[in-house]
Amino acid sequence: MRPNGVKVISTAEAVRNDYNLSPSRYVGVASEEVYQAIPDIVAELAEHQQKASKLGKDLARILKQMGVAG
């Protein structure tokens, strides 16, 4: 399986295309774009910030227990 945006062509195919090796000639672009509503993005960001804050507090507690300044 090849990643998106990669294509191997034969010499014969290059000849048929007058040796034009422009990627746009051989590799298409993604047809579907995923959009997310701004309120959903803001809610997700708040959730990540809350988790990050909790992890930061947990890490500070662990470092304190270890005697490491934090």
Side-chain angles (χ1 to χ4, degrees):
M1 176 181 236
R2 288 189 169 76
N4 291 337
V6 175
K7 181 175 181 181
V8 177
I9 65 165
S10 66
T11 303
E13 190 171 357
V15 170
R16 281 193 305 273
N17 288 304
D18 199 28
Y19 297 97
N20 182 341
L21 301 179
S22 174
S24 62
R25 180 173 293 269
Y26 303 98
V27 181
V29 294
S31 61
E32 292 185 34
E33 293 185 24
V34 177
Y35 292 95
Q36 195 172 0
I38 298 290
D40 293 341
I41 294 170
V42 172
E44 186 176 339
L45 178 59
E47 183 181 325
H48 288 300
Q49 288 173 327
Q50 186 177 25
K51 287 179 183 178
S53 177
K54 182 187 180 317
L55 289 172
K57 289 175 186 174
D58 290 347
L59 178 58
R61 180 181 47 78
I62 291 167
L63 291 174
K64 184 177 180 182
Q65 289 174 348
M66 294 174 60
V68 179

Short mmCIF file of all heavy atoms in Angstrom, two decimals:
data_model
loop_
_atom_site.label_atom_id
_atom_site.label_comp_id
_atom_site.label_asym_id
_atom_site.label_seq_id
_atom_site.Cartn_x
_atom_site.Cartn_y
_atom_site.Cartn_z
N MET A 1 0.85 -1.19 0.00
CA MET A 1 0.00 0.00 0.00
C MET A 1 0.88 1.24 0.00
O MET A 1 1.79 1.38 0.80
CB MET A 1 -0.90 -0.04 1.22
CG MET A 1 -1.75 1.20 1.37
SD MET A 1 -2.76 1.11 2.84
CE MET A 1 -4.33 1.33 2.11
N ARG A 2 0.64 2.15 -0.89
CA ARG A 2 1.40 3.39 -0.99
C ARG A 2 0.64 4.52 -0.31
O ARG A 2 -0.58 4.55 -0.34
CB ARG A 2 1.62 3.75 -2.45
CG ARG A 2 2.62 2.84 -3.14
CD ARG A 2 2.95 3.41 -4.52
NE ARG A 2 4.07 2.76 -5.10
CZ ARG A 2 4.05 1.56 -5.65
NH1 ARG A 2 2.95 0.86 -5.66
NH2 ARG A 2 5.13 1.04 -6.17
N PRO A 3 1.38 5.44 0.30
CA PRO A 3 0.69 6.59 0.90
C PRO A 3 0.02 7.43 -0.18
O PRO A 3 0.39 7.39 -1.35
CB PRO A 3 1.81 7.37 1.59
CG PRO A 3 3.08 6.81 1.10
CD PRO A 3 2.81 5.49 0.46
N ASN A 4 -0.98 8.21 0.22
CA ASN A 4 -1.65 9.10 -0.73
C ASN A 4 -0.65 10.05 -1.34
O ASN A 4 0.28 10.50 -0.70
CB ASN A 4 -2.74 9.91 -0.03
CG ASN A 4 -3.90 9.03 0.40
OD1 ASN A 4 -4.10 7.97 -0.16
ND2 ASN A 4 -4.63 9.47 1.37
N GLY A 5 -0.87 10.38 -2.61
CA GLY A 5 0.00 11.33 -3.28
C GLY A 5 1.24 10.70 -3.89
O GLY A 5 2.14 11.39 -4.31
N VAL A 6 1.29 9.36 -3.96
CA VAL A 6 2.46 8.68 -4.52
C VAL A 6 1.99 7.80 -5.67
O VAL A 6 1.00 7.08 -5.55
CB VAL A 6 3.16 7.81 -3.46
CG1 VAL A 6 4.29 7.01 -4.08
CG2 VAL A 6 3.67 8.66 -2.32
N LYS A 7 2.72 7.86 -6.77
CA LYS A 7 2.40 6.98 -7.89
C LYS A 7 3.69 6.66 -8.63
O LYS A 7 4.52 7.53 -8.88
CB LYS A 7 1.41 7.65 -8.86
CG LYS A 7 1.05 6.73 -10.02
CD LYS A 7 -0.02 7.30 -10.91
CE LYS A 7 -0.32 6.31 -12.02
NZ LYS A 7 -1.32 6.82 -12.92
N VAL A 8 3.86 5.40 -8.96
CA VAL A 8 5.00 4.96 -9.75
C VAL A 8 4.50 4.81 -11.18
O VAL A 8 3.48 4.17 -11.42
CB VAL A 8 5.54 3.61 -9.22
CG1 VAL A 8 6.68 3.12 -10.10
CG2 VAL A 8 5.99 3.74 -7.77
N ILE A 9 5.22 5.43 -12.12
CA ILE A 9 4.83 5.32 -13.52
C ILE A 9 5.92 4.60 -14.29
O ILE A 9 7.08 4.59 -13.90
CB ILE A 9 4.55 6.70 -14.16
CG1 ILE A 9 5.81 7.55 -14.21
CG2 ILE A 9 3.43 7.42 -13.43
CD1 ILE A 9 5.71 8.76 -15.12
N SER A 10 5.53 4.03 -15.41
CA SER A 10 6.50 3.35 -16.27
C SER A 10 7.13 4.37 -17.22
O SER A 10 6.61 5.48 -17.40
CB SER A 10 5.78 2.26 -17.08
OG SER A 10 4.86 2.88 -17.98
N THR A 11 8.22 3.97 -17.81
CA THR A 11 8.86 4.83 -18.82
C THR A 11 7.90 5.06 -19.98
O THR A 11 7.81 6.17 -20.51
CB THR A 11 10.15 4.17 -19.33
OG1 THR A 11 11.01 3.92 -18.20
CG2 THR A 11 10.89 5.06 -20.31
N ALA A 12 7.15 4.02 -20.35
CA ALA A 12 6.20 4.15 -21.46
C ALA A 12 5.15 5.21 -21.15
O ALA A 12 4.77 6.01 -22.02
CB ALA A 12 5.53 2.80 -21.73
N GLU A 13 4.69 5.27 -19.89
CA GLU A 13 3.70 6.28 -19.52
C GLU A 13 4.32 7.68 -19.59
O GLU A 13 3.68 8.63 -20.04
CB GLU A 13 3.14 6.01 -18.12
CG GLU A 13 1.96 6.87 -17.77
CD GLU A 13 1.27 6.47 -16.48
OE1 GLU A 13 1.66 5.46 -15.85
OE2 GLU A 13 0.33 7.17 -16.09
N ALA A 14 5.57 7.80 -19.17
CA ALA A 14 6.26 9.09 -19.26
C ALA A 14 6.39 9.52 -20.71
O ALA A 14 6.18 10.69 -21.04
CB ALA A 14 7.63 9.02 -18.58
N VAL A 15 6.71 8.57 -21.59
CA VAL A 15 6.83 8.87 -23.02
C VAL A 15 5.48 9.35 -23.57
O VAL A 15 5.41 10.35 -24.28
CB VAL A 15 7.33 7.64 -23.81
CG1 VAL A 15 7.23 7.86 -25.31
CG2 VAL A 15 8.77 7.31 -23.41
N ARG A 16 4.41 8.65 -23.20
CA ARG A 16 3.07 9.03 -23.67
C ARG A 16 2.71 10.45 -23.23
O ARG A 16 1.96 11.15 -23.90
CB ARG A 16 2.00 8.07 -23.13
CG ARG A 16 1.92 6.76 -23.88
CD ARG A 16 0.65 5.98 -23.53
NE ARG A 16 0.47 5.75 -22.10
CZ ARG A 16 0.98 4.72 -21.42
NH1 ARG A 16 1.71 3.81 -22.05
NH2 ARG A 16 0.76 4.59 -20.13
N ASN A 17 3.26 10.87 -22.11
CA ASN A 17 2.97 12.21 -21.60
C ASN A 17 4.09 13.19 -21.94
O ASN A 17 4.27 14.20 -21.24
CB ASN A 17 2.73 12.16 -20.09
CG ASN A 17 1.41 11.52 -19.76
OD1 ASN A 17 0.37 11.97 -20.24
ND2 ASN A 17 1.43 10.47 -18.96
N ASP A 18 4.83 12.88 -23.01
CA ASP A 18 5.90 13.77 -23.51
C ASP A 18 6.92 14.08 -22.41
O ASP A 18 7.40 15.20 -22.29
CB ASP A 18 5.28 15.05 -24.08
CG ASP A 18 6.23 15.80 -25.00
OD1 ASP A 18 7.09 15.13 -25.62
OD2 ASP A 18 6.11 17.04 -25.08
N TYR A 19 7.21 13.08 -21.59
CA TYR A 19 8.17 13.18 -20.49
C TYR A 19 7.81 14.26 -19.47
O TYR A 19 8.65 14.74 -18.73
CB TYR A 19 9.60 13.39 -21.01
CG TYR A 19 10.09 12.23 -21.83
CD1 TYR A 19 10.03 12.24 -23.22
CD2 TYR A 19 10.59 11.10 -21.21
CE1 TYR A 19 10.46 11.17 -23.98
CE2 TYR A 19 11.03 10.01 -21.95
CZ TYR A 19 10.96 10.05 -23.32
OH TYR A 19 11.40 8.97 -24.06
N ASN A 20 6.55 14.61 -19.41
CA ASN A 20 6.10 15.58 -18.43
C ASN A 20 5.93 14.85 -17.10
O ASN A 20 5.05 14.01 -16.95
CB ASN A 20 4.76 16.21 -18.86
CG ASN A 20 4.28 17.26 -17.90
OD1 ASN A 20 4.70 17.33 -16.75
ND2 ASN A 20 3.37 18.10 -18.37
N LEU A 21 6.78 15.16 -16.14
CA LEU A 21 6.75 14.48 -14.85
C LEU A 21 6.08 15.31 -13.76
O LEU A 21 6.29 15.09 -12.58
CB LEU A 21 8.18 14.10 -14.43
CG LEU A 21 8.91 13.18 -15.42
CD1 LEU A 21 10.32 12.90 -14.91
CD2 LEU A 21 8.14 11.90 -15.64
N SER A 22 5.27 16.24 -14.17
CA SER A 22 4.55 17.07 -13.21
C SER A 22 3.64 16.19 -12.34
O SER A 22 2.83 15.43 -12.86
CB SER A 22 3.70 18.10 -13.95
OG SER A 22 2.90 18.81 -13.04
N PRO A 23 3.79 16.26 -11.01
CA PRO A 23 2.98 15.41 -10.13
C PRO A 23 1.48 15.54 -10.37
O PRO A 23 0.75 14.56 -10.28
CB PRO A 23 3.35 15.88 -8.72
CG PRO A 23 4.70 16.47 -8.88
CD PRO A 23 4.72 17.08 -10.25
N SER A 24 1.02 16.74 -10.71
CA SER A 24 -0.41 16.93 -10.90
C SER A 24 -0.95 16.11 -12.08
O SER A 24 -2.13 15.83 -12.16
CB SER A 24 -0.74 18.41 -11.10
OG SER A 24 -0.09 18.90 -12.26
N ARG A 25 -0.08 15.71 -12.98
CA ARG A 25 -0.49 14.89 -14.11
C ARG A 25 -0.79 13.46 -13.67
O ARG A 25 -1.61 12.76 -14.27
CB ARG A 25 0.60 14.89 -15.18
CG ARG A 25 0.25 14.06 -16.40
CD ARG A 25 1.27 14.22 -17.50
NE ARG A 25 1.25 15.56 -18.04
CZ ARG A 25 0.51 15.96 -19.08
NH1 ARG A 25 -0.28 15.09 -19.68
NH2 ARG A 25 0.55 17.19 -19.52
N TYR A 26 -0.14 13.00 -12.61
CA TYR A 26 -0.24 11.60 -12.22
C TYR A 26 -0.95 11.37 -10.88
O TYR A 26 -1.48 10.30 -10.63
CB TYR A 26 1.17 10.99 -12.13
CG TYR A 26 1.92 11.13 -13.44
CD1 TYR A 26 2.83 12.16 -13.63
CD2 TYR A 26 1.67 10.26 -14.49
CE1 TYR A 26 3.51 12.31 -14.83
CE2 TYR A 26 2.34 10.40 -15.70
CZ TYR A 26 3.25 11.42 -15.86
OH TYR A 26 3.91 11.56 -17.05
N VAL A 27 -0.92 12.36 -10.02
CA VAL A 27 -1.46 12.18 -8.67
C VAL A 27 -2.58 13.19 -8.46
O VAL A 27 -2.37 14.39 -8.59
CB VAL A 27 -0.35 12.40 -7.61
CG1 VAL A 27 -0.92 12.20 -6.21
CG2 VAL A 27 0.82 11.47 -7.85
N GLY A 28 -3.74 12.69 -8.10
CA GLY A 28 -4.88 13.57 -7.84
C GLY A 28 -4.81 14.16 -6.44
O GLY A 28 -3.97 13.78 -5.62
N VAL A 29 -5.68 15.07 -6.18
CA VAL A 29 -5.78 15.66 -4.85
C VAL A 29 -6.96 15.04 -4.13
O VAL A 29 -7.88 14.52 -4.75
CB VAL A 29 -5.93 17.20 -4.90
CG1 VAL A 29 -4.69 17.83 -5.47
CG2 VAL A 29 -7.14 17.59 -5.71
N ALA A 30 -6.94 15.11 -2.83
CA ALA A 30 -8.05 14.57 -2.04
C ALA A 30 -9.34 15.28 -2.43
O ALA A 30 -9.38 16.50 -2.53
CB ALA A 30 -7.77 14.74 -0.56
N SER A 31 -10.37 14.51 -2.64
CA SER A 31 -11.63 15.11 -3.08
C SER A 31 -12.51 15.53 -1.92
O SER A 31 -13.39 16.37 -2.08
CB SER A 31 -12.39 14.14 -3.98
OG SER A 31 -12.67 12.96 -3.25
N GLU A 32 -12.29 14.94 -0.76
CA GLU A 32 -13.13 15.25 0.38
C GLU A 32 -12.35 16.01 1.44
O GLU A 32 -11.28 15.60 1.83
CB GLU A 32 -13.69 13.97 1.00
CG GLU A 32 -14.68 13.25 0.11
CD GLU A 32 -15.29 12.05 0.83
OE1 GLU A 32 -15.48 12.10 2.04
OE2 GLU A 32 -15.55 11.06 0.13
N GLU A 33 -12.90 17.12 1.85
CA GLU A 33 -12.34 17.87 2.96
C GLU A 33 -13.30 17.77 4.12
O GLU A 33 -14.52 17.79 3.93
CB GLU A 33 -12.12 19.33 2.58
CG GLU A 33 -11.05 19.51 1.52
CD GLU A 33 -10.77 20.98 1.24
OE1 GLU A 33 -11.04 21.81 2.13
OE2 GLU A 33 -10.30 21.27 0.15
N VAL A 34 -12.76 17.65 5.29
CA VAL A 34 -13.60 17.52 6.47
C VAL A 34 -13.60 18.86 7.19
O VAL A 34 -12.55 19.40 7.51
CB VAL A 34 -13.05 16.42 7.41
CG1 VAL A 34 -13.88 16.33 8.67
CG2 VAL A 34 -13.03 15.09 6.68
N TYR A 35 -14.78 19.39 7.40
CA TYR A 35 -14.93 20.65 8.11
C TYR A 35 -15.64 20.38 9.43
O TYR A 35 -16.49 19.50 9.52
CB TYR A 35 -15.76 21.64 7.28
CG TYR A 35 -15.05 22.09 6.04
CD1 TYR A 35 -15.27 21.48 4.82
CD2 TYR A 35 -14.13 23.14 6.10
CE1 TYR A 35 -14.60 21.89 3.68
CE2 TYR A 35 -13.46 23.56 4.97
CZ TYR A 35 -13.70 22.93 3.75
OH TYR A 35 -13.03 23.34 2.64
N GLN A 36 -15.26 21.15 10.41
CA GLN A 36 -15.87 21.02 11.73
C GLN A 36 -16.39 22.39 12.15
O GLN A 36 -15.73 23.40 11.92
CB GLN A 36 -14.81 20.52 12.71
CG GLN A 36 -15.36 20.00 14.00
CD GLN A 36 -14.27 19.34 14.85
OE1 GLN A 36 -13.11 19.29 14.47
NE2 GLN A 36 -14.65 18.85 16.01
N ALA A 37 -17.54 22.41 12.74
CA ALA A 37 -18.14 23.67 13.17
C ALA A 37 -17.28 24.33 14.26
O ALA A 37 -16.72 23.63 15.11
CB ALA A 37 -19.55 23.44 13.69
N ILE A 38 -17.18 25.65 14.22
CA ILE A 38 -16.37 26.39 15.19
C ILE A 38 -16.76 26.07 16.63
O ILE A 38 -15.87 25.81 17.45
CB ILE A 38 -16.45 27.92 14.93
CG1 ILE A 38 -15.91 28.26 13.54
CG2 ILE A 38 -15.74 28.70 16.01
CD1 ILE A 38 -14.42 28.09 13.36
N PRO A 39 -18.04 26.04 16.98
CA PRO A 39 -18.39 25.70 18.37
C PRO A 39 -17.87 24.32 18.79
O PRO A 39 -17.46 24.12 19.93
CB PRO A 39 -19.92 25.74 18.39
CG PRO A 39 -20.27 26.68 17.27
CD PRO A 39 -19.24 26.43 16.22
N ASP A 40 -17.88 23.36 17.85
CA ASP A 40 -17.36 22.03 18.16
C ASP A 40 -15.85 22.08 18.40
O ASP A 40 -15.33 21.41 19.29
CB ASP A 40 -17.67 21.05 17.02
CG ASP A 40 -19.15 20.78 16.87
OD1 ASP A 40 -19.91 21.04 17.83
OD2 ASP A 40 -19.55 20.31 15.79
N ILE A 41 -15.16 22.87 17.61
CA ILE A 41 -13.71 23.02 17.76
C ILE A 41 -13.39 23.65 19.11
O ILE A 41 -12.49 23.21 19.83
CB ILE A 41 -13.11 23.84 16.61
CG1 ILE A 41 -13.26 23.09 15.29
CG2 ILE A 41 -11.65 24.19 16.88
CD1 ILE A 41 -12.94 23.91 14.06
N VAL A 42 -14.14 24.70 19.47
CA VAL A 42 -13.92 25.39 20.74
C VAL A 42 -14.18 24.44 21.92
O VAL A 42 -13.41 24.40 22.88
CB VAL A 42 -14.80 26.66 20.84
CG1 VAL A 42 -14.74 27.27 22.23
CG2 VAL A 42 -14.38 27.68 19.79
N ALA A 43 -15.22 23.65 21.83
CA ALA A 43 -15.54 22.69 22.89
C ALA A 43 -14.45 21.63 23.02
O ALA A 43 -14.02 21.28 24.12
CB ALA A 43 -16.89 22.02 22.62
N GLU A 44 -13.95 21.16 21.89
CA GLU A 44 -12.89 20.16 21.90
C GLU A 44 -11.61 20.75 22.49
O GLU A 44 -10.90 20.10 23.26
CB GLU A 44 -12.64 19.64 20.48
CG GLU A 44 -11.66 18.49 20.42
CD GLU A 44 -11.49 17.93 19.02
OE1 GLU A 44 -12.38 18.13 18.17
OE2 GLU A 44 -10.45 17.29 18.79
N LEU A 45 -11.31 21.99 22.12
CA LEU A 45 -10.13 22.66 22.66
C LEU A 45 -10.23 22.81 24.18
O LEU A 45 -9.27 22.53 24.90
CB LEU A 45 -9.96 24.04 22.01
CG LEU A 45 -8.80 24.89 22.51
CD1 LEU A 45 -7.47 24.18 22.30
CD2 LEU A 45 -8.81 26.24 21.81
N ALA A 46 -11.41 23.20 24.67
CA ALA A 46 -11.61 23.34 26.12
C ALA A 46 -11.40 22.01 26.83
O ALA A 46 -10.78 21.95 27.90
CB ALA A 46 -13.00 23.88 26.41
N GLU A 47 -11.87 20.95 26.21
CA GLU A 47 -11.70 19.61 26.78
C GLU A 47 -10.21 19.24 26.86
O GLU A 47 -9.74 18.73 27.88
CB GLU A 47 -12.45 18.59 25.92
CG GLU A 47 -12.40 17.17 26.44
CD GLU A 47 -13.14 16.20 25.54
OE1 GLU A 47 -14.18 16.59 24.96
OE2 GLU A 47 -12.67 15.05 25.41
N HIS A 48 -9.48 19.53 25.79
CA HIS A 48 -8.04 19.24 25.78
C HIS A 48 -7.30 20.09 26.81
O HIS A 48 -6.37 19.61 27.47
CB HIS A 48 -7.45 19.45 24.39
CG HIS A 48 -7.86 18.39 23.39
ND1 HIS A 48 -7.58 17.05 23.56
CD2 HIS A 48 -8.54 18.49 22.23
CE1 HIS A 48 -8.06 16.37 22.55
NE2 HIS A 48 -8.65 17.22 21.72
N GLN A 49 -7.70 21.35 26.95
CA GLN A 49 -7.05 22.22 27.93
C GLN A 49 -7.30 21.72 29.35
O GLN A 49 -6.41 21.75 30.19
CB GLN A 49 -7.55 23.66 27.77
CG GLN A 49 -7.02 24.32 26.51
CD GLN A 49 -7.65 25.68 26.25
OE1 GLN A 49 -8.81 25.91 26.55
NE2 GLN A 49 -6.86 26.57 25.64
N GLN A 50 -8.51 21.23 29.60
CA GLN A 50 -8.85 20.70 30.91
C GLN A 50 -8.00 19.45 31.21
O GLN A 50 -7.46 19.31 32.31
CB GLN A 50 -10.34 20.36 30.97
CG GLN A 50 -10.82 19.93 32.33
CD GLN A 50 -12.33 19.68 32.35
OE1 GLN A 50 -12.94 19.39 31.31
NE2 GLN A 50 -12.94 19.79 33.51
N LYS A 51 -7.87 18.58 30.24
CA LYS A 51 -7.05 17.38 30.42
C LYS A 51 -5.59 17.75 30.63
O LYS A 51 -4.91 17.16 31.48
CB LYS A 51 -7.18 16.45 29.20
CG LYS A 51 -8.50 15.73 29.11
CD LYS A 51 -8.57 14.85 27.87
CE LYS A 51 -9.92 14.18 27.74
NZ LYS A 51 -10.00 13.36 26.51
N ALA A 52 -5.10 18.74 29.87
CA ALA A 52 -3.71 19.17 30.00
C ALA A 52 -3.46 19.75 31.39
O ALA A 52 -2.41 19.50 32.01
CB ALA A 52 -3.36 20.19 28.92
N SER A 53 -4.40 20.51 31.91
CA SER A 53 -4.28 21.09 33.24
C SER A 53 -4.19 20.00 34.29
O SER A 53 -3.35 20.04 35.19
CB SER A 53 -5.46 22.01 33.51
OG SER A 53 -5.39 22.52 34.82
N LYS A 54 -5.06 19.00 34.18
CA LYS A 54 -5.05 17.89 35.14
C LYS A 54 -3.73 17.14 35.06
O LYS A 54 -3.12 16.81 36.09
CB LYS A 54 -6.21 16.94 34.88
CG LYS A 54 -6.27 15.79 35.89
CD LYS A 54 -7.32 14.77 35.54
CE LYS A 54 -7.39 13.62 36.53
NZ LYS A 54 -6.14 13.06 36.98
N LEU A 55 -3.25 16.87 33.85
CA LEU A 55 -1.98 16.16 33.70
C LEU A 55 -0.83 16.96 34.28
O LEU A 55 0.08 16.41 34.90
CB LEU A 55 -1.73 15.83 32.23
CG LEU A 55 -2.63 14.76 31.62
CD1 LEU A 55 -2.42 14.67 30.11
CD2 LEU A 55 -2.38 13.41 32.28
N GLY A 56 -0.86 18.29 34.08
CA GLY A 56 0.17 19.15 34.63
C GLY A 56 0.20 19.09 36.15
O GLY A 56 1.27 19.02 36.77
N LYS A 57 -0.99 19.10 36.77
CA LYS A 57 -1.08 19.00 38.23
C LYS A 57 -0.59 17.64 38.71
O LYS A 57 0.12 17.54 39.72
CB LYS A 57 -2.52 19.26 38.68
CG LYS A 57 -2.94 20.70 38.53
CD LYS A 57 -4.42 20.88 38.87
CE LYS A 57 -4.86 22.31 38.58
NZ LYS A 57 -6.31 22.49 38.76
N ASP A 58 -0.98 16.58 38.00
CA ASP A 58 -0.52 15.24 38.37
C ASP A 58 1.00 15.14 38.28
O ASP A 58 1.64 14.57 39.16
CB ASP A 58 -1.16 14.18 37.46
CG ASP A 58 -2.65 13.99 37.70
OD1 ASP A 58 -3.17 14.49 38.72
OD2 ASP A 58 -3.31 13.36 36.83
N LEU A 59 1.57 15.69 37.22
CA LEU A 59 3.02 15.65 37.04
C LEU A 59 3.72 16.43 38.15
O LEU A 59 4.71 15.96 38.71
CB LEU A 59 3.40 16.21 35.67
CG LEU A 59 4.90 16.26 35.36
CD1 LEU A 59 5.52 14.87 35.44
CD2 LEU A 59 5.13 16.88 34.00
N ALA A 60 3.20 17.60 38.50
CA ALA A 60 3.79 18.41 39.57
C ALA A 60 3.76 17.65 40.89
O ALA A 60 4.74 17.67 41.66
CB ALA A 60 3.05 19.74 39.69
N ARG A 61 2.65 16.96 41.16
CA ARG A 61 2.54 16.17 42.39
C ARG A 61 3.57 15.05 42.42
O ARG A 61 4.25 14.83 43.42
CB ARG A 61 1.12 15.60 42.51
CG ARG A 61 0.89 14.76 43.77
CD ARG A 61 -0.53 14.19 43.82
NE ARG A 61 -0.99 13.57 42.59
CZ ARG A 61 -0.65 12.34 42.16
NH1 ARG A 61 0.16 11.60 42.88
NH2 ARG A 61 -1.14 11.87 41.03
N ILE A 62 3.71 14.35 41.30
CA ILE A 62 4.67 13.24 41.22
C ILE A 62 6.09 13.76 41.38
O ILE A 62 6.90 13.17 42.12
CB ILE A 62 4.50 12.48 39.88
CG1 ILE A 62 3.16 11.74 39.88
CG2 ILE A 62 5.66 11.51 39.65
CD1 ILE A 62 2.75 11.21 38.52
N LEU A 63 6.41 14.87 40.73
CA LEU A 63 7.76 15.43 40.85
C LEU A 63 8.04 15.87 42.28
O LEU A 63 9.14 15.69 42.79
CB LEU A 63 7.93 16.61 39.88
CG LEU A 63 7.97 16.24 38.40
CD1 LEU A 63 8.00 17.51 37.55
CD2 LEU A 63 9.16 15.35 38.09
N LYS A 64 7.03 16.41 42.95
CA LYS A 64 7.18 16.83 44.35
C LYS A 64 7.48 15.61 45.22
O LYS A 64 8.34 15.64 46.09
CB LYS A 64 5.93 17.55 44.82
CG LYS A 64 6.05 18.10 46.22
CD LYS A 64 4.80 18.88 46.61
CE LYS A 64 4.93 19.41 48.04
NZ LYS A 64 3.72 20.13 48.46
N GLN A 65 6.74 14.50 44.98
CA GLN A 65 6.96 13.27 45.73
C GLN A 65 8.36 12.73 45.51
O GLN A 65 8.95 12.12 46.41
CB GLN A 65 5.94 12.20 45.33
CG GLN A 65 4.54 12.49 45.81
CD GLN A 65 3.52 11.47 45.27
OE1 GLN A 65 3.82 10.69 44.36
NE2 GLN A 65 2.30 11.51 45.80
N MET A 66 8.90 12.96 44.34
CA MET A 66 10.25 12.49 44.01
C MET A 66 11.33 13.44 44.52
O MET A 66 12.51 13.16 44.42
CB MET A 66 10.39 12.33 42.48
CG MET A 66 9.52 11.23 41.91
SD MET A 66 9.56 11.17 40.10
CE MET A 66 11.27 10.88 39.78
N GLY A 67 10.90 14.60 45.01
CA GLY A 67 11.86 15.58 45.50
C GLY A 67 12.47 16.40 44.38
O GLY A 67 13.53 17.01 44.55
N VAL A 68 11.83 16.42 43.26
CA VAL A 68 12.32 17.19 42.12
C VAL A 68 11.51 18.49 42.06
O VAL A 68 10.28 18.47 42.13
CB VAL A 68 12.14 16.41 40.79
CG1 VAL A 68 12.61 17.22 39.61
CG2 VAL A 68 12.86 15.07 40.87
N ALA A 69 12.20 19.61 41.92
CA ALA A 69 11.50 20.89 41.84
C ALA A 69 10.62 20.88 40.60
O ALA A 69 11.01 20.44 39.53
CB ALA A 69 12.48 22.04 41.80
N GLY A 70 9.43 21.39 40.73
CA GLY A 70 8.56 21.39 39.58
C GLY A 70 7.51 22.41 39.58
O GLY A 70 6.91 22.96 40.31
#
